[in-house]
Amino acid sequence: MSAHDQLVLYLCEITRLLWKLLLPLLLLCVLLVAVLVLLVLAVRLWLQSSRNARRAREGRPTVAFFHPYCNAGGGGERVLWCAIRALQSRYAGVNFVVYTGDLGVTGQQILEGARQRFNIVLPRPVRFVFLQHRVLVEPGLFPHFTLLGQSVGSIFLGWEALTELVPDLYIDSMGYAFTLPLFRYLGGCSVGSYVHYPTISTDMLSVVRERNPRFNNPDFISNSLFLSAFKLVYYCLFAVLYGMAGSCSDVIMVNSSWTLDHILSLWRSPNRTSVVYPPCDVSAFLDIPLEEDGDRRCHSIVSVGQFRPEKDHRLQIGAFKKVLERRERSGVREGLKLVLIGGCRNQEDEDRVLMLRGLCQELGVADRVEFKLNVSFEELKRQMSEATIGLHTMWNEHFGIGVVECMAAGKVILAHKSGGPKLDIVRPFDGGQTGFLAEDEDSYAEAIEKILALPPDSRLQIRRNARQSVARFSDQEFEACFLAAMEPLMGTLEQ
């Protein structure tokens, strides 16, 4: 027998063996799928029985918000408390729950923090479910593959929340889309979501594709063709999973035109998606008088935003340094200071503040830069009233509540030429200018100098235009749009 015949014989034997094993393998796969389906159904029945027992005991439905950082002082938290306030005012016969990972405080302290920071008082108390494993969604836990790690972590954190309390209606108000299928298919809940910022966006894909360095695309990746290609594939696969998870939401609310474009391209649910601008406490700043500021001996530039890397405080400090250098060369004696106001969510944010303080020392501007951390609403308002310019530097900011607040306070806003500020906020009003946009340190420095060089009456007119333009972002407008979007879901609670 030739070698060729032997090879053919071996192949035939292997084929017959595989064919004999095929049926047992198929049966094993069917058995495993059946076991998995039965397990899922058993878990679903268990969770639904828990929900039914709770509802029978309490006699009313429960709406739960998933917001692991509800005690932070950012714009997302303001949306949370305004949303709960609106629903409580409309639906008296509904219980409200907040899933939070803030373990060092009591529920009463959280509500008091909302009053102090946002001037928000709820009509009645809410129940807090304190989650023990918030560390699973901390970015520091995942130095690599952070998006995937946090998303998987959110599933486990969502499971903890679901087993603690099964609501009738679940709302993800912080952007953890991978919890949506968990509550919908296992918990049997109606689900809604308010998206502040897509976990991944087409802009992020383009940054990697074009190999541009950013805070989430470090130099060692952008400089490597292989690593950039690998990250692009990773991002594309993650975007598909993110879209599948997000599409589970029955009602989708987004906070800006920029976010809307990205969510529509990823979640592909246009009939269930609407823009609900976040609530900005416009009225609280309207009593700050609009007066000419030409007699000021020292102008202050105020920045409002959490100390997160994407807020790009380094750019603010670098631009401020360039302004001081130019004014010194020009012999301008008018004083200038930079005030950075923001909240620190955790130790990582506090370390970032220390790094920024060190940067100020390195650049020689420490005596001109003030840090105001976790300030009260009264202190925020005081700093606003004393400022000339409101500063914002985040690239592709999803909306920009701090930008709106600065404009309502009558400050000349200088924001990044991208995202929500460009598309929704710093827009002409009745044909008049409402602010300025910039992109990098040089353009920010030039814009600051231009603003300070304007005649006081010209600055005053821009400030007036800005204040009048932001009425569309008021608490009242948010409540009306939010309640209209939520009405179909709230109607299911009565069934």
Side-chain angles (χ1 to χ4, degrees):
M1 182 181 296
S2 66
H4 178 268
D5 293 337
Q6 287 182 336
L7 178 60
V8 171
L9 182 61
Y10 289 148
L11 290 175
C12 290
E13 291 295 330
I14 292 174
T15 302
R16 279 195 292 270
L17 178 62
L18 291 176
W19 180 253
K20 291 180 180 178
L21 291 176
L22 180 61
L23 184 60
L25 287 174
L26 287 175
L27 291 175
L28 180 61
C29 290
V30 171
L31 180 62
L32 290 176
V33 170
V35 170
L36 180 61
V37 170
L38 290 174
L39 180 62
V40 170
L41 289 175
V43 171
R44 180 183 170 93
L45 288 173
W46 169 58
L47 291 172
Q48 289 187 347
S49 65
S50 174
R51 183 189 65 192
N52 294 336
R54 174 197 50 75
R55 185 160 180 173
R57 183 173 62 253
E58 297 175 354
R60 55 176 61 186
T62 294
V63 175
F65 287 80
F66 189 76
H67 208 104
Y69 295 90
C70 74
N71 198 39
E77 288 66 58
R78 192 169 206 288
V79 170
L80 170 69
W81 302 122
C82 284
I84 294 177
R85 182 177 63 183
L87 291 173
Q88 283 188 334
S89 299
R90 172 71 66 86
Y91 302 96
V94 177
N95 290 333
F96 292 90
V97 170
V98 177
Y99 298 114
T100 178
D102 297 297
L103 301 179
V105 292
T106 64
Q108 186 58 41
Q109 288 173 324
I110 292 175
L111 295 177
E112 178 62 20
R115 185 194 67 80
Q116 291 181 352
R117 293 169 183 161
F118 307 120
N119 200 27
I120 295 175
V121 178
L122 299 183
R124 59 183 187 272
V126 298
R127 175 182 172 184
F128 291 91
V129 174
F130 291 92
L131 307 177
Q132 303 296 316
H133 301 97
R134 190 177 70 178
V135 67
L136 294 175
V137 296
E138 294 280 357
L141 188 64
F142 309 101
H144 305 291
F145 298 97
T146 307
L147 293 182
L148 181 60
Q150 286 184 286
S151 297
V152 173
S154 72
I155 296 174
F156 285 99
L157 191 63
W159 172 253
E160 180 187 351
L162 185 58
T163 53
E164 287 289 332
L165 184 143
V166 186
D168 299 279
L169 170 56
Y170 169 80
I171 302 172
D172 167 40
S173 54
M174 204 173 172
Y176 293 106
F178 287 88
T179 63
L180 296 172
L182 190 69
F183 277 81
R184 178 170 183 173
Y185 296 116
L186 287 183
C189 312
S190 299
V191 295
S193 55
Y194 188 95
V195 184
H196 299 274
Y197 195 86
T199 303
I200 191 166
S201 66
T202 53
D203 287 333
M204 294 169 65
L205 293 173
S206 66
V207 165
V208 178
R209 185 182 297 111
E210 297 167 9
R211 299 171 63 186
N212 292 329
R214 293 279 182 181
F215 76 92
N216 59 351
N217 194 45
D219 291 340
F220 77 90
I221 291 180
S222 61
N223 292 332
S224 169
L225 180 61
F226 172 76
L227 292 178
S228 293
F230 180 81
K231 187 171 184 178
L232 182 61
V233 172
Y234 159 55
Y235 269 14
C236 289
L237 292 175
F238 182 85
V240 172
L241 294 175
Y242 178 65
M244 293 172 62
S247 64
C248 295
S249 187
D250 297 305
V251 168
I252 305 165
M253 293 166 281
V254 299
N255 67 342
S256 69
S257 302
W258 181 87
T259 306
L260 175 67
D261 292 340
H262 288 285
I263 289 300
L264 288 179
S265 67
L266 292 166
W267 293 13
R268 302 183 184 279
S269 304
N271 296 332
R272 290 175 276 152
T273 307
S274 60
V275 176
V276 178
Y277 289 125
C280 305
D281 199 2
V282 174
S283 60
F285 296 97
L286 295 182
D287 58 353
I288 296 177
L290 283 178
E291 301 172 345
E292 288 193 2
D293 53 10
D295 58 347
R296 289 188 177 179
R297 301 183 63 181
C298 180
H299 290 282
S300 71
I301 304 170
V302 63
S303 165
V304 181
Q306 288 182 322
F307 288 97
R308 306 203 307 261
E310 61 268 27
K311 296 297 183 181
D312 209 349
H313 290 90
R314 293 179 63 91
L315 192 157
Q316 297 178 6
I317 296 169
F320 181 67
K321 168 67 173 177
K322 291 187 176 182
V323 173
L324 293 179
E325 290 176 342
R326 294 178 183 182
R327 289 167 69 85
E328 185 177 350
R329 288 195 298 267
S330 302
V332 179
R333 296 183 179 181
E334 198 176 47
L336 190 64
K337 67 177 180 179
L338 174 62
V339 182
L340 305 179
I341 303 174
C344 287
R345 303 163 298 171
N346 47 40
Q347 185 61 47
E348 186 177 354
D349 287 353
E350 293 177 5
D351 293 341
R352 190 169 296 110
V353 171
L354 290 176
M355 181 274 295
L356 292 172
R357 290 183 187 273
L359 177 63
C360 292
Q361 291 283 354
E362 179 183 334
L363 297 179
V365 297
D367 59 331
R368 300 284 196 98
V369 180
E370 298 180 11
F371 288 82
K372 304 288 184 179
L373 310 181
N374 301 319
V375 301
S376 66
F377 182 78
E378 289 74 17
E379 174 65 11
L380 170 65
K381 192 172 177 180
R382 187 182 72 81
Q383 292 292 336
M384 287 276 207
S385 66
E386 296 175 354
T388 301
I389 299 174
L391 187 62
H392 166 276
T393 50
M394 179 176 170
W395 171 73
N396 272 344
E397 169 75 86
H398 39 92
F399 179 72
I401 288 181
V403 174
V404 174
E405 290 177 343
C406 285
M407 295 169 71
K411 306 300 107 179
V412 181
I413 190 66
L414 172 56
H416 200 282
K417 193 177 182 180
S418 64
K422 177 184 177 182
L423 296 176
D424 294 311
I425 304 175
V426 190
R427 307 281 296 171
F429 179 76
D430 285 346
Q433 186 177 3
T434 59
F436 295 80
L437 298 171
E439 295 179 283
D440 52 29
E441 284 189 8
D442 288 329
S443 59
Y444 269 96
E446 291 172 4
I448 291 172
E449 288 186 285
K450 183 177 181 179
I451 293 169
L452 296 176
L454 286 172
D457 59 335
S458 297
R459 276 202 301 266
L460 182 60
Q461 186 56 52
I462 294 174
R463 293 159 59 200
R464 283 175 177 159
N465 294 338
R467 173 172 281 186
Q468 293 172 9
S469 73
V470 296
R472 57 204 166 103
F473 304 126
S474 65
D475 286 4
Q476 294 74 23
E477 287 292 322
F478 167 80
E479 290 183 4
C481 295
F482 181 79
L483 289 173
M486 286 293 296
E487 190 171 358
L489 282 185
M490 298 303 294
T492 64
L493 301 180
E494 302 173 359
Q495 298 176 0

